[in-house]
Amino acid sequence: MPTALVVDDEAHIQHVVSLKLRHDGMEVITASDGSEALALAINHRPDIIVTDFQMPGLTGLELSTAIREHEELADTPVLMLTARGFGLTDEQLAQSRIGDVMTKPFSPREMLQRVHSLLQQSQTSTERQAA
């Protein structure tokens, strides 16, 4: 059973994302800010992180960059949720290795599809490295 870390300071978004992932059979850990999320990621080593961009503590971008500094988390896929109209530059995406970005409001069904896609890409990459 994959584990997802869901990070959002908006309780209703955190709830919707968590519920969708749990109904899909995932274990879900939640955090309300980037600093809490980093500590949880280090302790629990989730298979994927779904994070908001704008949060107290660390932003989603800073969180994604920070997890790359931990060898055991370096390849953890990240799905970034962001407010409409906010754009991440290609340089920011490359530096933080964010796997995908979704604009709020988003379809929970599409979010789940993107989570599955990122998990599959991560698994394929891990299998290639092991071969």
Side-chain angles (χ1 to χ4, degrees), residues 12-49:
H12 67 282
I13 293 189
Q14 186 185 101
H15 176 75
V16 167
V17 172
S18 297
L19 190 64
K20 191 71 173 172
L21 295 173
R22 280 188 185 107
H23 282 170
D24 193 58
M26 293 187 194
E27 182 179 332
V28 177
I29 304 163
T30 60
S32 299
D33 65 58
S35 299
E36 178 187 11
L38 180 59
L40 287 170
I42 291 167
N43 289 329
H44 294 278
R45 297 184 188 171
D47 298 294
I48 189 163
I49 298 173

Side-chain angles (χ1 to χ4, degrees), residues 4 15-16 21 28 34 43 51 54-55 57 62 65-66 72 74-75 81 86 91 93 96 100 106 109 115 124:
H15 176 75
V16 167
L21 295 173
V28 177
N43 289 329
T51 184
Q54 294 177 306
M55 297 180 296
E62 292 166 336
T65 301
E72 66 278 4
D75 295 324
L81 306 176
F86 180 84
E91 182 179 335
L93 291 173
S96 61
D100 201 354
F106 57 89
R109 182 177 297 151
V115 163
T124 301

Side-chain angles (χ1 to χ4, degrees), residues 31-129:
S32 299
D33 65 58
S35 299
E36 178 187 11
L38 180 59
L40 287 170
I42 291 167
N43 289 329
H44 294 278
R45 297 184 188 171
D47 298 294
I48 189 163
I49 298 173
V50 180
T51 184
D52 185 22
F53 176 76
Q54 294 177 306
M55 297 180 296
L58 300 173
T59 66
L61 183 64
E62 292 166 336
L63 170 63
S64 186
T65 301
I67 68 166
R68 304 301 172 211
E69 296 173 8
H70 297 269
E71 186 177 337
E72 66 278 4
L73 298 171
D75 295 324
T76 305
V78 175
L79 173 60
M80 177 76 66
L81 306 176
T82 182
R84 186 186 306 252
F86 180 84
L88 293 163
T89 67
D90 289 340
E91 182 179 335
Q92 288 172 314
L93 291 173
Q95 285 178 343
S96 61
R97 294 187 4 222
I98 294 170
D100 201 354
V101 177
M102 288 189 74
T103 303
K104 292 180 182 179
F106 57 89
S107 156
R109 182 177 297 151
E110 183 181 350
M111 181 273 308
L112 187 58
Q113 290 171 342
R114 291 192 190 196
V115 163
H116 280 285
S117 176
L118 288 170
L119 285 170
Q120 187 172 33
Q121 290 172 22
S122 177
Q123 182 178 0
T124 301
S125 175
T126 301
E127 289 170 357
R128 280 191 202 133
Q129 290 174 359

